[in-house]
Amino acid sequence: MNLYEYSGKEIFRKFQIPVPDGYVITSAAELKPYTSPVVVKSQVLIGGRGKSGGIKFAKDQASLDQAVKDLMGSKVRGFTVNKLLIEQMLDIKKEFYLSITLNRSERKPMLICSASGGVEIETVPEEQIFRKSIDPITGYSDFIGREAAKFMKFDENLSKQLRSILSKLYDVFVHYDCELVEINPLVMNGDGRLIAADAKVIIDSDSTYRHPEFPKDDPERTPLELEAQSKGYAFVELDGIIGVIANGAGLTMATLDALLLHKGKPRNFLDLGGTDSTDIVVEAFDLVLKAKPRAILVNIFGGVTKCDTVASGIVEAKKKFGISQHIVVRLSGVRENEGREILKQNGIDAFSEMMPAVEKVVSLAGGA
Amino acid sequence: MNLYEYSGKEIFRKFQIPVPDGYVITSAAELKPYTSPVVVKSQVLIGGRGKSGGIKFAKDQASLDQAVKDLMGSKVRGFTVNKLLIEQMLDIKKEFYLSITLNRSERKPMLICSASGGVEIETVPEEQIFRKSIDPITGYSDFIGREAAKFMKFDENLSKQLRSILSKLYDVFVHYDCELVEINPLVMNGDGRLIAADAKVIIDSDSTYRHPEFPKDDPERTPLELEAQSKGYAFVELDGIIGVIANGAGLTMATLDALLLHKGKPRNFLDLGGTDSTDIVVEAFDLVLKAKPRAILVNIFGGVTKCDTVASGIVEAKKKFGISQHIVVRLSGVRENEGREILKQNGIDAFSEMMPAVEKVVSLAGGA
Amino acid sequence: MKVIVDSDTKVIVQGITGHQGMFHTGEMLKFGTKVVAGVSPGKGGQKVHDLPVFDTVSEAMHLMPEATMISVPAPLVKDAAYEALDSGIKVVYILTEHVPFHDAMDILYNARRKGAVVLGPNGPGITRPGMCKIGIMPNTIFRKGNVAVASRSGTLTYEIVNAITQSGMGESTVIGLGGDPVPGMDFIEVLELFNADPDTEKIVLVGEIGGSNEERAAEYIKKYVKKKVVAYIAGRSAPPGKRMGHAGAIIERGVGTAESKIKAFGDAGVDVAEYPVDIPKLLR
Amino acid sequence: MKVIVDSDTKVIVQGITGHQGMFHTGEMLKFGTKVVAGVSPGKGGQKVHDLPVFDTVSEAMHLMPEATMISVPAPLVKDAAYEALDSGIKVVYILTEHVPFHDAMDILYNARRKGAVVLGPNGPGITRPGMCKIGIMPNTIFRKGNVAVASRSGTLTYEIVNAITQSGMGESTVIGLGGDPVPGMDFIEVLELFNADPDTEKIVLVGEIGGSNEERAAEYIKKYVKKKVVAYIAGRSAPPGKRMGHAGAIIERGVGTAESKIKAFGDAGVDVAEYPVDIPKLLR
């Protein structure tokens, strides 16, 4: 779960990581009178806001009003701006990069720092990036910050500030079950202080129950994806024409892959998961039908999810929604024969192997 | 460092361990008007207050006034009462015992519970005591509380309360660098709630710098011990007649032991430590002289502390304080010859072995 | 050879009174697994499939279990795993999905301290045909043989095991690593076991996009593995940045793409199947 | 045999620019210890006793140190120890006194995870005459020989080692455990090493009141140690409940008294000296 910049900065403030003074508005009416130069930042969950015109500077009341007027309700890289962060303007002397994320290869948190901040870290040359795995049991310890500061050629004053920030940033990473905490840029201000000019916090979506204070707001998802998500499905919209329902993420991915290799274009990814209920199947059809596919492929390897349950669900969905599209079904595994029998009684043939089913649905759906 | 009951309860309150409502007074003037039955508890750092009359109950204004009058300024087992804790009276249905302490054998924290609370845990039969070592890396986890609750034959309601308290008690143990956190008794109140009726918190004396909020108040020490402590010496007053200055806790203990085995009675334990400065030695003499010993034994095995430094310190102290008592010196180890030379020039003979020095000082000090 | 478990391995089930725990305990018993007890706090004294149920793991330890299957709600998994580790359990299989990966990290590193192995979270477990199954793989798809399978996916594992069995071959050991960001074992750790196991002649790795588990496995194979290894990678068609069900299946920053994995395997002499059902062909 | 260290052990000193660090580095060099570098944050580039000083441990690792002496203020010890462990140092000797025991616990358990040994805090270190000294024991009191000494006390160790040397015998290894409540090693761990060391024929344990380290050592000796063991216990005269300098020397609840320790040793056939200087007599 991605947090908005202002939420991330609220967390930082709570953990005493220096951030600029500022406040959030959801309408021009909430704007406070101009007192000193400010930055007006669109709150959208996408990078590159600056380049896309989503950030404006104001040095008087008129330009502040204008900036708010321009930005509120505008679109930044396709995302509508509903909130603005009005922040004291920094006197930026230098920009750095800091983040802590999960290093999946080592299965450990990793600290990443660079003296070249303010740009996407992917574009920074490797030799300018400091990487350090953090032992998840001992956690952050001061020596890690000393190594980072040394790499960044910080003097003792900057090093001390950096180490204090890193220690708290690691606390944030652990406390909020983060996938990523990122400060880019970390700014050295005119007064020599290090300040987090931006805040990116991504909370592990499996941990959100421990952090109910944040709204589950994910604008990177389509409305249909959000609907599916709220119903507990792993569902992704794609731009093809063949609806896909399968069980297990791996098998579902393999199904999409097989379709693609046969020049079939999947309309979606939908993993039924390991539940065993006809309702789940019916609801899955509802979601897939809303995506208006030309044909539907159901690919089940029965285990926890039993084949006869899925078969019953298909029959029920067909009746309920009066599905006109071709449905190609593959059933294998637990209760395969029972499932195939149920479908047969309702005029649906089911394959027992995956590949023939894939070939069939591609031929039925036709070209894109 | 021992905390007073009211300090321990403040910590408990902060960590949401249930404690009775109450407040502390340092004079009768601070007493609030009587509203409901209360307990008046002398705040002294010693157990067995109840039996010694240090705790009184009040069921009306008159008895409350009387209790405060009786207790404030009184002596409980030799300790003067300067503070009283006035606490809501509990409707005690049952008393339990809980503590977390360092198990030195295993070098791990240990949880100790018993359904027989309200008495000294040493008097509870072994089979009624639940002991569980806690892995210091994983810390407290719910299963530990489930095991404890099962041992204590708690129902699910009590078990849940117990587990919540244990989890927080472990947090206190870690957060405050405790040697011991103890709740005795943990009370089951008339309403079924578990409440910490007492609080004993001992903070590792090496960790007090991390907890400056607590005054270093240790009434178990004599005034001279407190003076020595404030100057950084490990110093203990004993009831004999031979002053002792040695270096290293082990060697100092061995010196006392040797005196005792020779029927000599040590007046004190004083460990010079590993510093190498004449001032330290002079100050040590100052402390020992205040204890008015009949003779003084200095036993040094030079290492970090060098023999010549100690010798110079002895000479200086002798001049400064005009010491009339016999001083017997043993010097061995680093700069032993230099040290002996310094003493010789000042008319003091130094032994090179410990046992002859011990024998000499015992004979000089005479019988007790 | 013992590969994590063998036919003597005794197993407890934490969360045995739950729907999943109860069902899969029955399936494991049918498979021949020596399940000796269940643990369900507050349910001590009950029986499930004629097995005793205890309130705590420590009460079950007199039955000498070596392994546990944990099937409790995600928020309770870490405590259950710590309880098992505290009692000296050496194989901790976690069926539960949606376990916070910070919890999975804590479990993994503390298991290592205590010399224990973690399978999962969110994986199908381990199956050794003819010996022992701990987990949820369908009983019927196996045949004892000399092919070892390690997989990051559940149903896809069944698909491939089924294809192997259908083709007339059989399996020595099948291990599901789990699809989460912090699995208890990675391919390299499993390859070490398979490589040392005399009953294993051929190895199948079922990978998916995300992470660099496959790339590192390929390096390892190049250096140390003489046995035949073939692979399948799920997610070739996944658009970058989209989540495909597993948190594991995120492609970010150009690392962990299907292409990168297929190339790495190719460089290590590992044939990569286009379709899951092609695995048996490659194994011949 | 290598007993924690041998003549090849390379050592760094964390806190080498401090008063203690600098002095004892010089003493160790005189003893013949292969000190290869110092570490002092912010002091990188300096030289101490002609040794290079680095800002971080990781910068010193190219010199292949195996051991470190930590001589930094107590509040910084945990970080210094973690830094050494993170870099792969396997012997962590902590000179510093007054280290919070919760920190000592964290250091100890994380060292164990990483296969490292901790000596101290608040102990004199380890000395192997003719091979290596890490710590602060006076150089002059040793002679190479076949008596191994393990002690919970500093100066008392010197007293006893001196007596052994003066008597004409010599020492194979002398280890100071440290006087704190959570030492990195206990008597049993040291006895295992001494028992296995062919260069050690006799063993001296120097204990003190508090804890049950001696009692457990006595049990171990009874079961496993065939070599001659003698002991001394400091604190016979300590009044119960009084602190005698070491946090270790608290007598509480009737456990850990001198009587209990002397009796346990007696039961294990270990002679206990009345006076430190009597140790050589008992060793004959």
Side-chain angles (χ1 to χ4, degrees), chain C residues 117-144:
Chain C
V117 165
V118 177
L119 292 165
N122 188 22
I126 180 168
T127 305
R128 304 202 67 200
M131 292 193 210
C132 178
K133 179 186 95 165
I134 304 177
I136 61 168
M137 299 186 208
N139 286 348
T140 53
I141 58 176
F142 296 93
R143 173 192 291 133
K144 200 169 164 63

Side-chain angles (χ1 to χ4, degrees), chain D residues 252-264:
Chain D
E252 283 181 320
R253 302 174 192 172
V255 197
T257 60
E259 291 67 38
S260 131
K261 290 171 194 306
I262 290 168
K263 181 174 183 311

Side-chain angles (χ1 to χ4, degrees), chain B residues 208-220:
Chain B
T208 49
Y209 72 91
R210 296 202 275 230
H211 311 287
E213 65 270 38
F214 303 109
K216 283 191 192 177
D217 194 2
D218 192 345
E220 287 188 39

Side-chain angles (χ1 to χ4, degrees), chain A residues 1 97 101-102 104-109 112 121-122 135-137 173-174 176-180 182 202-207 209-210 218 220-222 225 234-238 247-262 266 269 271 273-274 299-304 306 330 332-334 352-355 358, chain C residues 20 23-24 74-76 78 95 97-103 105-106 108-110 112-113 136 138-141 152-156 158-160 162-163 166 179-186 189 208-213 216 232-239 241-250 252-253 274-278:
Chain A
M1 183 177 63
Y97 174 93
T101 183
L102 173 67
R104 293 182 54 177
S105 306
E106 297 196 359
R107 287 174 279 177
K108 283 179 184 173
I112 302 174
I121 190 68
E122 293 88 332
D135 180 327
I137 287 187
F173 180 77
V174 172
Y176 289 99
D177 290 295
C178 293
E179 282 177 25
L180 173 73
E182 187 183 73
I202 304 178
I203 295 178
D204 172 15
S205 54
D206 286 334
S207 306
Y209 72 90
R210 295 203 275 229
D218 192 347
E220 287 188 40
R221 295 186 183 251
T222 67
E225 286 174 351
F235 181 93
V236 180
E237 276 199 83
L238 304 167
N247 66 327
L251 184 61
T252 313
M253 276 197 281
T255 308
L256 302 188
D257 295 345
L259 283 171
L260 212 83
L261 286 165
H262 280 80
F269 170 105
D271 173 8
N299 185 16
I300 299 299
F301 201 104
V304 180
K306 290 166 200 73
R330 178 273 180 124
S332 191
V334 174
S352 63
E353 298 294 331
M354 173 172 152
M355 295 317 298
V358 165
Chain C
Q20 295 262 49
F23 175 76
H24 290 295
L76 308 182
K78 185 161 126 176
L95 161 56
E97 55 180 355
H98 297 305
V99 175
F101 80 82
H102 283 263
D103 288 3
M105 246 183 339
D106 287 341
L108 170 60
Y109 285 91
N110 282 298
R112 283 193 184 163
R113 286 174 59 214
I136 61 168
N139 286 348
T140 53
I141 58 176
R152 288 174 66 189
S153 163
T155 40
L156 194 49
Y158 317 157
E159 183 82 49
I160 285 171
N162 192 52
Q166 295 293 330
D180 281 357
V182 180
M185 297 189 81
D186 65 10
E189 289 163 316
E208 60 182 38
I209 51 172
S212 62
N213 207 329
R216 286 174 298 119
Y232 176 78
I233 304 290
R236 291 171 182 235
S237 62
K242 285 277 185 183
R243 279 153 185 270
M244 297 303 229
H246 280 188
I250 309 166
E252 283 182 321
R253 301 174 191 171
E274 279 209 327
Y275 305 105
V277 288
D278 291 346

Side-chain angles (χ1 to χ4, degrees), chain A residues 270-285:
Chain A
L270 189 155
D271 173 8
L272 271 184
T275 42
D276 190 36
S277 132
T278 53
D279 292 351
I280 299 285
V281 180
V282 172
E283 209 164 48
F285 268 94

Side-chain angles (χ1 to χ4, degrees), chain D residues 95-113:
Chain D
L95 161 56
T96 311
E97 55 180 356
H98 297 305
V99 175
F101 80 80
H102 283 263
D103 288 3
M105 249 186 334
D106 287 341
I107 294 167
L108 170 60
Y109 285 90
N110 282 297
R112 282 194 184 161
R113 286 174 58 214

Side-chain angles (χ1 to χ4, degrees), chain C:
Chain C
M1 204 188 78
K2 188 168 183 171
V3 178
I4 301 177
V5 296
D6 62 15
S7 49
D8 293 329
T9 302
K10 289 176 184 159
V11 182
I12 57 170
V13 177
Q14 289 173 264
I16 196 169
T17 55
H19 178 74
Q20 295 262 49
M22 202 177 294
F23 175 76
H24 290 295
T25 300
E27 293 294 299
M28 286 195 282
L29 288 168
K30 279 183 211 154
F31 193 89
T33 303
K34 291 186 171 151
V35 187
V36 294
V39 175
S40 258
K43 307 278 170 68
Q46 296 186 5
K47 292 257 178 190
V48 170
H49 297 297
D50 266 342
L51 297 171
V53 177
F54 299 103
D55 287 314
T56 62
V57 173
S58 72
E59 291 168 276
M61 292 311 290
H62 69 281
L63 299 169
M64 318 279 277
E66 253 182 86
T68 184
M69 170 162 110
I70 294 178
S71 175
V72 302
L76 308 182
V77 164
K78 185 161 126 176
D79 177 61
Y82 279 2
E83 182 176 6
L85 293 171
D86 182 74
S87 284
I89 295 283
K90 294 299 177 201
V91 180
V92 177
Y93 159 61
I94 301 167
L95 161 56
T96 311
E97 55 180 355
H98 297 305
V99 175
F101 80 82
H102 283 263
D103 288 3
M105 246 183 339
D106 287 341
I107 294 167
L108 170 60
Y109 285 91
N110 282 298
R112 283 193 184 163
R113 286 174 59 214
K114 302 187 177 191
V117 165
V118 177
L119 292 165
N122 188 22
I126 180 168
T127 305
R128 304 202 67 200
M131 292 193 210
C132 178
K133 179 186 95 165
I134 304 177
I136 61 168
M137 299 186 208
N139 286 348
T140 53
I141 58 176
F142 296 93
R143 173 192 291 133
K144 200 169 164 63
N146 61 21
V147 181
V149 180
S151 172
R152 288 174 66 189
S153 163
T155 40
L156 194 49
T157 315
Y158 317 157
E159 183 82 49
I160 285 171
V161 167
N162 192 52
I164 293 168
T165 299
Q166 295 293 330
S167 76
M169 291 180 283
E171 305 82 30
S172 54
T173 305
V174 179
I175 296 177
L177 306 178
D180 281 357
V182 180
M185 297 189 81
D186 65 10
F187 280 134
I188 291 179
E189 289 163 316
V190 173
L191 279 167
E192 279 173 21
L193 298 174
F194 290 169
N195 207 21
D197 174 30
D199 299 329
T200 293
E201 285 174 24
K202 298 167 184 180
I203 298 168
V204 179
L205 300 184
V206 183
E208 60 182 38
I209 51 172
S212 62
N213 207 329
E214 291 78 7
E215 287 86 340
R216 286 174 298 119
E219 284 303 309
Y220 182 86
I221 291 165
K222 217 190 281 184
K223 276 194 205 149
Y224 303 110
V225 182
K226 297 279 163 287
K227 299 180 182 183
K228 184 179 182 74
V229 185
V230 306
Y232 176 78
I233 304 290
R236 291 171 182 235
S237 62
K242 285 277 185 183
R243 279 153 185 270
M244 297 303 229
H246 280 188
I250 309 166
I251 315 180
E252 283 182 321
R253 301 174 191 171
V255 196
T257 60
E259 291 67 39
S260 132
K261 291 171 193 305
I262 291 167
K263 183 176 181 309
F265 277 137
D267 291 349
V270 174
D271 288 335
V272 181
E274 279 209 327
Y275 305 105
V277 288
D278 291 346
I279 287 287
K281 269 184 273 173
L282 298 184
L283 281 173
R284 298 212 180 269

